[in-house]
Amino acid sequence: MISGNLTDSNPFADPSIHENQRDLAEDSTLTVGRNASLTLGTDSLIVLDEGFTRRETTNCCGLLPSNSKTTKAIPFFNVLWAELSQFDITIHYAQPTSRNVVRVAFVEYLVDKPERPRVSIWITKLLDRAYGGAQRNKRIKILINPYGGQGSAQKWYTRDIEPIFAAARCNVDVERTQFQGHAVEIAERLDIDAFDVIASCSGDGLPHEVFNGLGKKADARRALSKVAVAQLPCGSGNAMSWNLNGTDSPSIAALCIVKGSRTPLDLISITQGDVRTLSFLSQSLGIVAESDLGTEHIRWLGSARFTYGLLIRLLRKTVYPCDIAIKVEIGSKAQIRDHYRERTTSPMPVEDLLDDSDNSMTSHSSESDELPALKFGSINDELPSDWSFVPYDKLGNFYSGNMAYMAPDTNFFPATLPHDGYLDLVTIDGDISRTSALQTLLAVENGKFFDMPHVKYRKISGYRIIPKGQKDGYISIDGERIPFAPFQAEVHKGLGTVLSKNGYMYEAQGVTSMGFGDPNSSS
């Protein structure tokens, strides 16, 4: 047998390379306790512990073979915190207990005194990998809607959310909303220098109120830039969490907020009469608005009530006459695919996104920190001359979205981006055949909606809509009903701030030059 290592037998090998690799391996691994080690892997913390097998409950007096393992891989994303006490190293992490639930768990090992300096350095490396560019120890203002989730929001916060924030060493301040519009008041008086995030245990209604409360502050632009708005899904509509976190699980959403990256978000000014409000999610008139707001009496169905309402109205071939004026920015589906692909395969750094927004320091002076002026005017002003005006006598659906998902499995806007300065507009005639209507409903779930020929899809920067032929009806702004009257919308690029998993796109299947698909694929 030949002894020695590769460098002994290969005279051309550089011994320093192997020494460097060995040093890196040693720097990445800690020997702890009596029979355990902790290693920083490629994307996970690897825990090797001979004691895992002994902690397993034996069966049949230990006579049957055991399937227990001596290793545990903890994804860095799930690592919440690590610290060194007088004698021990303790690592808290979010452990999946089912497909939609994570619970706080920890590993703890004795550290010899001579090893403490090295362990401190190793913990720093672990937390660097666990958080990347995300802020640690976030200061979070928590709003709990006590009526959210059919009255379960408080229970879900205590059981699913609070332990995650505590383990991650976040600083939280909890307040319960008492009435509709209370979150507007709370956000308006919020000390924005005391908090990094304002997170709502609710549906989509409270985030809508929070954005508008921040928008009422004298330093609205600074407030909307500094304080990230987040959702801890506890309502019947949890679109914000689906888009930014990819889940409606309160515990997983809490983990995503802990690890979330600050992301600029386009906001939309809605003017109706003399009132200006902010929208972050969607605006609709027609079948979608009725399917949402007209099904409040069956809210107990959860998100299924939306599908039920949509199906009923599609089969009735309901139409909603109106006049629409639009400022079109990208008019063809092929160009929209190219735009989406360019933005998702070569994303701009967050710093550049901020500089390229309506909330950048160069776009306004410190003396004018209120909401941006309306460059297109309001609903009360003359219609801009370069807008396209179209009478719609047989409109079935007018749906404008700033995020992809409006409910689970309803990806109406697969080309939306958080910060491209555009709204995605879908219009569908109301007199299409019932067969086409049913196919449209199914296409939303199977990813073929965007490419249907009767679905008109455009990217726009503003619009005006004037209902006609109806005395009353439904108009939905972020799922909230507003008066059935003309209104105008205008996009403000990057005016708001949210937390997302990747910092530049939604957790939804998007469009590419070949249609629906993974935006990072080569197809």
Side-chain angles (χ1 to χ4, degrees), residues 47-365:
V47 184
L48 173 62
D49 188 345
E50 297 294 337
F52 287 162
T53 58
R54 292 193 295 272
R55 292 168 199 158
E56 295 287 339
T57 303
T58 58
N59 52 64
C60 291
C61 304
L63 297 177
L64 295 179
S66 172
N67 291 324
S68 59
K69 299 179 180 179
T70 61
T71 60
K72 176 185 296 184
I74 304 172
F76 288 132
F77 186 81
N78 289 46
V79 173
L80 298 169
W81 200 249
E83 59 191 5
L84 180 63
S85 65
Q86 186 175 0
F87 301 107
D88 303 310
I89 178 175
T90 305
I91 301 171
H92 286 89
Y93 62 97
Q95 176 172 282
T97 58
S98 68
R99 188 172 63 90
N100 288 317
V101 176
V102 292
R103 293 280 184 257
V104 174
F106 69 92
V107 292
E108 188 173 59
Y109 294 101
L110 185 68
V111 174
D112 293 333
K113 188 173 182 179
E115 287 291 301
R116 291 175 61 82
R118 181 167 176 264
V119 172
S120 295
I121 295 172
W122 185 90
I123 286 176
T124 299
K125 292 180 179 179
L126 170 62
L127 292 177
D128 286 345
R129 300 232 191 147
Y131 280 85
Q135 180 187 359
R136 307 175 194 177
N137 310 121
K138 293 182 175 77
R139 301 169 301 167
I140 308 174
K141 177 72 173 181
I142 304 286
L143 302 183
I144 299 178
N145 176 5
Y147 306 104
Q150 299 180 352
S152 297
Q154 178 64 61
K155 179 183 72 175
W156 292 339
Y157 174 75
T158 303
R159 183 191 66 192
D160 299 330
I161 298 166
E162 187 177 31
I164 300 242
F165 288 158
R169 304 299 188 265
C170 294
N171 298 303
V172 302
D173 180 74
V174 179
E175 188 167 349
R176 288 155 189 82
T177 57
Q178 305 298 320
F179 49 85
Q180 186 173 7
H182 192 193
V184 175
E185 297 181 7
I186 294 171
E188 185 177 5
R189 67 171 187 262
L190 186 76
D191 180 0
I192 62 174
D193 292 317
F195 296 98
D196 307 301
V197 182
I198 182 164
S200 301
C201 296
S202 66
D204 296 310
L206 249 60
H208 171 83
E209 291 188 15
V210 169
F211 277 120
N212 279 279
L214 296 175
K216 287 178 178 293
K217 296 177 78 70
D219 55 348
R221 281 204 249 193
R222 178 171 177 264
L224 288 163
S225 174
K226 187 177 185 305
V227 181
V229 179
Q231 181 189 47
L232 292 157
C234 295
S236 59
N238 301 306
M240 187 179 197
S241 183
W242 275 111
N243 283 284
L244 296 171
N245 305 322
T247 184
D248 65 350
S249 160
S251 60
I252 297 176
L255 172 61
C256 290
I257 288 174
V258 166
K259 296 302 182 74
S261 298
R262 293 176 62 84
T263 305
L265 179 72
D266 297 339
L267 294 179
I268 300 90
S269 277
I270 306 295
T271 59
Q272 188 178 60
D274 296 323
V275 178
R276 178 182 182 181
T277 57
L278 295 176
S279 169
F280 77 96
L281 179 61
S282 66
Q283 311 93 47
S284 62
L285 180 149
I287 193 168
V288 169
E290 278 204 15
S291 300
D292 183 12
L293 301 174
T295 57
E296 288 288 324
H297 63 290
I298 53 172
R299 181 174 283 271
W300 54 271
L301 281 176
S303 60
R305 70 183 173 91
F306 178 82
T307 304
Y308 170 80
L310 198 62
L311 180 61
I312 294 298
R313 287 158 180 81
L314 281 172
L315 293 176
R316 290 176 182 169
K317 302 177 69 171
T318 311
V319 296
Y320 307 86
C322 61
D323 292 332
I324 302 174
I326 306 169
K327 173 61 173 174
V328 179
E329 301 293 347
I330 306 179
S332 79
K333 291 181 180 179
Q335 291 174 322
I336 289 172
R337 287 193 187 98
D338 291 342
H339 170 81
Y340 183 88
R341 186 181 182 87
E342 178 184 353
R343 288 294 185 116
T344 54
T345 54
S346 301
M348 295 172 63
V350 172
E351 295 79 7
D352 293 344
L353 290 176
L354 290 171
D355 289 341
D356 187 35
S357 73
D358 286 349
N359 214 350
S360 70
M361 295 304 294
T362 57
S363 67
H364 62 96
S365 66

Side-chain angles (χ1 to χ4, degrees), residues 284-285 322-325 379 395 398 463-467 475 485-489:
S284 62
L285 180 149
C322 61
D323 292 332
I324 302 174
I379 186 67
L395 180 73
F398 178 97
Y463 67 85
R464 178 180 295 184
I465 187 163
I466 304 171
I475 296 175
F487 69 95
Q488 184 162 307

